[in-house]
Every structure is written in structure tokens, then in C-alpha cells.
């Protein structure tokens, strides 16, 4: 026995009706439901009217007007690497740079001992400066009121491991969130690249 | 490379596009010939202004044909053309909301000849005068009703029930989910039923 439908015609039922694919129960419903019959008739009229609509054409010479602005057979533009043109100011700048480099190399070769002396002094000065800054930083850190509590926590390996794991987890979550925020959505390219 | 027009007409869109890619001007013209009426009809029904429709259709074809080299043959050529035409019409409507409807000719037409030339040609050839009048009235009624739909409903229902495109094709053309396309089309039909029922009741 065909089950009795519990609803009136839906959009899908209307489509099914027009393509002669209506289910038996909806066919039965149609025979008894005045509202749905009216709906079907009206919908069929709408579709029939739309099917009968004429097409319109543009004015004569449309193709000529289009073709006047179309380049026949032009291949798709291929990106070409452009090299900078060698203008006089550019050549002069490059020559000056090259001359400076050659002079520098020649001087370094001839005055090697002087150069090494300079390098030694400079590196020693920088090393002393770095060491002094590091010591001052450590002293400043040790003078902070929270330093002792932090030190006591880091003294226990389990706590230290938990803090490290938590920090790494937080960092990774932040990275993932940032990546999602900055990645543009990839819209589907469904057709040619025009 | 000269190709007989008769031969071109028998070829599929993909074959004609291949010839166009090889530089055949006849192939370009054949593509225009195939799609100028459907594209113009769609755009005209969207923007309701003959001059604008002509400009937009022209821009559509210029865009399509100048980019024919980059056309990917795995997609339907017609879908590509309609997609560009519909986008052009929607962009135009967004820029300038047209709520005036002209069934009697372009609002810019200032001579009787121009009014005649720009009027909607609803009747078909070979009809009796009475048929022509009846069809013209019927056609005008549905044109008025379609013009009252929201632009997105209008493009969906025109592509479905005037151009005969499938739901899937329309979804691809308009970059819309399939369900949205179905909903738009059914809402449009619902609105048309209501509008046309009112007309019948008044009659």
C-alpha cells in the first residue's frame, strides 16, 4: 500500500512533477489536494511562459564592433624577466663600487699586520663590552623581588618540565592561530583565468 | 587559414575555441555568432537597458576572446561566457541600481525610429496579428514580473528556465553553493507565481 504523504508539495516535488519523476505518494496527494493542484498548474504556467520568452539580439554589426577590439591569435601574456638597463649613471655607480672593492682588497693584502691589529683591538673591546653588559643584566635580574620564587620553581625538575611544556604548547597554539589568521582563503577557481 | 563557415557551424565549442587559439578570425566570429543572442538576452533582462546591455555584452565578448588563449578546455565554454556576462551585469547593477523598467524602448531614445529600434521584441515571426498581440501581452507580463525579482534570483531563474542550464552549471557559473541556487530559483518561481496570479485575478 502506498504511504499517505504528510506534507504539501515542496520545491523538489514541483521539480519532480515537471520532469515526470513524481513519487507515487505525492501523485496520490496531488489527486486529492486542491491547493497543490493549483500550485502545480500555476508553476507550469510560469515555466511555460518563461520557455516562450524570445531572445533578443544586439544591433547589427555587433561582431564587427567586438572584433575591432580583439587581438586575434595573441597568445596569453607570458611574464618576461626584465633586466635593468645599463644607463650611464648606473655604470658609473657600479664602476665606483668595483674600484672601491679592488682598492680595499689590495690595501688589506699589503697592510695585513695593521689590519690584524685593528681587528684584535676591536674584537677585544666588543668582548669586554658584551661581558660587562651580561654581568650587569644578571645583577639586575637577581635584584628583582620575584627572582627567588622563580629560582625555587626552576630548582624542581618536574615543575620545570611542566612549565617548559606549557610554554611550548602555548607557543605552538599561537603559531597555528596566527597561521590561520594570515592565510588567505583559497577560493575555487572554477574556470579559465579571465 | 581560411575555414568554410559551414564547417565551423558543425563543430563543437571546444573545436572552435581550438581554432581560435590557432589564430582563426572565423572561429572568433563563430563564437560571437553562437553566443551574442543568449548573452545579450541575459544581460538585457538583467539591466533593462538596451544600450547598457549592448555595452556589457560587448565587454563580455572582448574579455572572453582576448583571454581565449588561457581558456581551460575541461570547462564548458558557454559556462565561461555566461559567467563573465552575469558578473558584468551584476557589477553594473551594484554600481547603479536601476529600478526603472522600459518595455517600450530605451529611455535615451528620442526619435520614433530609435524607440522602435530599442523596444523589446517579444513576438515571434510568423504569428497572426491576434497571436502577436496576445503573446506580446503575455511576454510583457512575465518580463515585468522577472524585472521585479532580486538580481540574484533573476540571473538564476533566467539561466535555468530561459537558457536551460542545469542547477550544477549555474552554481559553478555564479560561484554559489548548489543549495543556494535551488533556493533562489524556487523563491523566484514562487514570486513569479504570486505576481502572475495577481495579474490573472485582476483580469
Amino acid at each position: 500500500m502506498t504511504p499517505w504523504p504528510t506534507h504539501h508539495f515542496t520545491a523538489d516535488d514541483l521539480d519532480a512533477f515537471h520532469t515526470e519523476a513524481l513519487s507515487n505518494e505525492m501523485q496520490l496527494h496531488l489527486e486529492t489536494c486542491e491547493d497543490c493542484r493549483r500550485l502545480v498548474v500555476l508553476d507550469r504556467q510560469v515555466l511555460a511562459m518563461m520557455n516562450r520568452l524570445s531572445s533578443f539580439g544586439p544591433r547589427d554589426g555587433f561582431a564587427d564592433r567586438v572584433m575591432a577590439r580583439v587581438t586575434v591569435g595573441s597568445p596569453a601574456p607570458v611574464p618576461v624577466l626584465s633586466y635593468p638597463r645599463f644607463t650611464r649613471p648606473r655604470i658609473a655607480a657600479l664602476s665606483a663600487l668595483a674600484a672601491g672593492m679592488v682598492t680595499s682588497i689590495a690595501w688589506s693584502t699589503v697592510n695585513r699586520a695593521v689590519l690584524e691589529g685593528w681587528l684584535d683591538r676591536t674584537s677585544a673591546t666588543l668582548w669586554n663590552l658584551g661581558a660587562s653588559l651580561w654581568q650587569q643584566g644578571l645583577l639586575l635580574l637577581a635584584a628583582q623581588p620575584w627572582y627567588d620564587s622563580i629560582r625555587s620553581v626552576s630548582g624542581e625538575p618536574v615543575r620545570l618540565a611542566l612549565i617548559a611544556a606549557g610554554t611550548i604548547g602555548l607557543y605552538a597554539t599561537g603559531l597555528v592561530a596566527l597561521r590561520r589568521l594570515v592565510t588567505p582563503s583559497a577560493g575555487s577557481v572554477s574556470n579559465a583565468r579571465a | 587559414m581560411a575555414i568554410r563557415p559551414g564547417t565551423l557551424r558543425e563543430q563543437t565549442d571546444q573545436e572552435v575555441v581550438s581554432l581560435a587559439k590557432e589564430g582563426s578570425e572565423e572561429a572568433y566570429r563563430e563564437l560571437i555568432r553562437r553566443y551574442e543572442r543568449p548573452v545579450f538576452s541575459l544581460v538585457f533582462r538583467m539591466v533593462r537597458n538596451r544600450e547598457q546591455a549592448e555595452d556589457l555584452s560587448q565587454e563580455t565578448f572582448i574579455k572572453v576572446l582576448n583571454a581565449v588563449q588561457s581558456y581551460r578546455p575541461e570547462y564548458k565554454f558557454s559556462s565561461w561566457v555566461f559567467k563573465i556576462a552575469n558578473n558584468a551585469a551584476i557589477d553594473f547593477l551594484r554600481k547603479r541600481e536601476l529600478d526603472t523598467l522600459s518595455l517600450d524602448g530605451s529611455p535615451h531614445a528620442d526619435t520614433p525610429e530609435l524607440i522602435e529600434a530599442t523596444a523589446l521584441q517579444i513576438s515571434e515571426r510568423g504569428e497572426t496579428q491576434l497571436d502577436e498581440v496576445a503573446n506580446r501581452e503575455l511576454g510583457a507580463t512575465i518580463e515585468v514580473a522577472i524585472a521585479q525579482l532580486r538580481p540574484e534570483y533573476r540571473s538564476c531563474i533566467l539561466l535555468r528556465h530561459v537558457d536551460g542550464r542545469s542547477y550544477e552549471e549555474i552554481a559553478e557559473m555564479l560561484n554559489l553553493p548548489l543549495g543556494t541556487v535551488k533556493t533562489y530559483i524556487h523563491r523566484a518561481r514562487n514570486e513569479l507565481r504570486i505576481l502572475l496570479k495577481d495579474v490573472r485575478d485582476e483580469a
Side-chain angles (χ1 to χ4, degrees), chain B residues 6-194:
Chain B
T7 319
L8 267 179
R9 288 187 185 203
E10 289 153 17
Q11 295 188 336
T12 63
D13 281 357
Q14 306 293 4
E15 289 166 339
V16 180
V17 170
S18 297
L19 289 168
K21 282 183 174 182
E22 288 167 18
S24 158
E25 191 180 328
E26 287 95 331
Y28 278 75
R29 286 184 179 274
E30 173 62 15
L31 292 171
I32 299 173
R33 190 195 65 75
R34 285 185 190 190
Y35 289 104
E36 63 180 341
R37 284 188 77 86
V39 163
F40 181 79
S41 299
L42 173 74
V43 175
F44 185 33
R45 286 196 169 102
M46 292 294 290
V47 303
R48 314 302 315 180
N49 177 294
R50 183 170 274 273
E51 280 78 32
Q52 291 295 353
E54 188 140 340
D55 284 351
L56 292 170
S57 306
Q58 205 168 306
E59 290 306 319
T60 299
F61 279 101
I62 290 165
K63 209 176 207 178
V64 165
L65 296 179
N66 275 331
V68 82
Q69 298 288 344
S70 61
Y71 167 69
R72 296 190 344 227
E74 62 265 34
Y75 296 104
K76 277 181 91 171
F77 181 78
S78 59
S79 299
W80 186 35
V81 177
F82 279 110
K83 182 181 194 167
I84 292 174
N86 183 68
N87 286 347
I90 294 282
D91 285 349
F92 173 81
L93 289 175
R94 277 186 193 144
K95 281 180 197 154
R96 208 179 95 187
E97 274 191 30
L98 278 181
D99 51 6
T100 52
L101 168 66
S102 166
L103 288 175
D104 302 323
S106 161
H108 307 299
D110 46 11
T111 64
E113 292 78 22
L114 209 52
I115 290 169
E116 175 67 23
T118 57
L120 280 173
Q121 299 299 310
I122 289 160
S123 60
E124 287 169 14
R125 283 177 192 164
E127 291 169 332
T128 65
Q129 268 191 326
L130 270 177
D131 283 346
E132 199 176 309
V133 170
N135 275 338
R136 194 177 170 85
E137 281 174 7
L138 202 65
T141 307
I142 189 97
E143 292 284 2
V144 171
I146 292 169
Q148 289 176 35
L149 298 173
R150 280 168 54 178
E152 54 267 44
Y153 289 5
R154 211 185 305 163
S155 53
C156 282
I157 199 160
L158 287 172
L159 287 166
R160 176 81 185 111
H161 294 301
V162 178
D163 292 309
R165 306 277 146 191
S166 67
Y167 288 125
E168 290 78 9
E169 231 180 306
I170 298 168
E172 192 201 305
M173 277 185 219
L174 307 185
N175 277 339
L176 289 172
L178 187 61
T180 308
V181 169
K182 283 186 176 179
T183 306
Y184 281 2
I185 289 171
H186 287 298
R187 281 186 190 161
R189 261 158 65 177
N190 198 30
E191 285 183 25
L192 288 180
R193 282 197 302 266
I194 293 165

Side-chain angles (χ1 to χ4, degrees), chain A residues 15 43 52 54 56 65 190, chain B residues 54 83 122 135 167 193:
Chain A
D15 274 351
D43 198 59
R52 289 184 63 190
S54 308
F56 312 119
R65 288 193 295 281
S190 58
Chain B
E54 188 140 340
K83 182 181 194 167
I122 289 160
N135 275 338
Y167 288 125
R193 282 197 302 266

Side-chain angles (χ1 to χ4, degrees), chain A residues 7-192:
Chain A
H7 60 85
H8 286 290
F9 260 53
T10 63
D12 287 337
D13 292 327
L14 276 174
D15 274 351
F17 175 81
H18 295 307
T19 53
E20 293 178 357
L22 193 61
S23 64
N24 285 340
E25 58 260 43
M26 289 316 294
Q27 189 69 52
L28 254 175
H29 174 79
L30 191 62
E31 284 167 18
T32 54
C33 179
E34 183 62 32
D35 288 344
C36 286
R37 262 210 306 277
R38 208 177 300 126
L39 175 75
V40 163
V41 168
L42 209 53
D43 198 59
R44 194 160 47 189
Q45 282 177 348
V46 167
L47 296 192
M49 284 169 92
M50 292 204 73
N51 286 333
R52 289 184 63 190
L53 283 178
S54 308
S55 69
F56 312 119
R59 281 180 293 130
D60 287 345
F62 179 79
D64 292 331
R65 288 193 295 281
V66 170
M67 288 307 290
R69 291 176 58 194
V70 169
T71 316
V72 175
S74 62
V78 177
V80 179
L81 287 175
S82 61
Y83 296 98
R85 283 188 301 164
F86 288 100
T87 55
R88 272 189 184 175
R90 278 186 183 166
I91 292 170
L94 282 172
S95 305
L97 187 69
M101 285 170 75
V102 169
T103 312
S104 169
I105 291 166
W107 186 89
S108 308
T109 313
V110 175
N111 304 291
R112 198 169 173 178
V114 178
L115 191 66
E116 279 177 0
W118 284 358
L119 285 173
D120 286 346
R121 276 198 295 280
T122 311
S123 59
T125 309
L126 286 174
W127 176 258
N128 290 337
L129 186 68
S132 147
L133 281 173
W134 175 250
Q135 278 177 349
Q136 280 181 8
L138 286 179
L139 286 171
L140 198 67
L141 187 69
Q144 298 303 313
W146 39 262
Y147 178 72
D148 286 336
S149 54
I150 292 284
R151 202 175 171 195
S152 67
V153 167
S154 64
E156 290 177 41
V158 179
R159 271 194 193 176
L160 191 64
L162 282 173
I163 288 169
T167 311
I168 291 168
L170 198 67
Y171 181 70
T173 313
L175 273 183
V176 171
L178 191 67
R179 192 166 174 245
R180 287 200 175 177
L181 278 173
V182 299
T183 306
S185 62
S188 59
V189 180
S190 58
N191 224 315

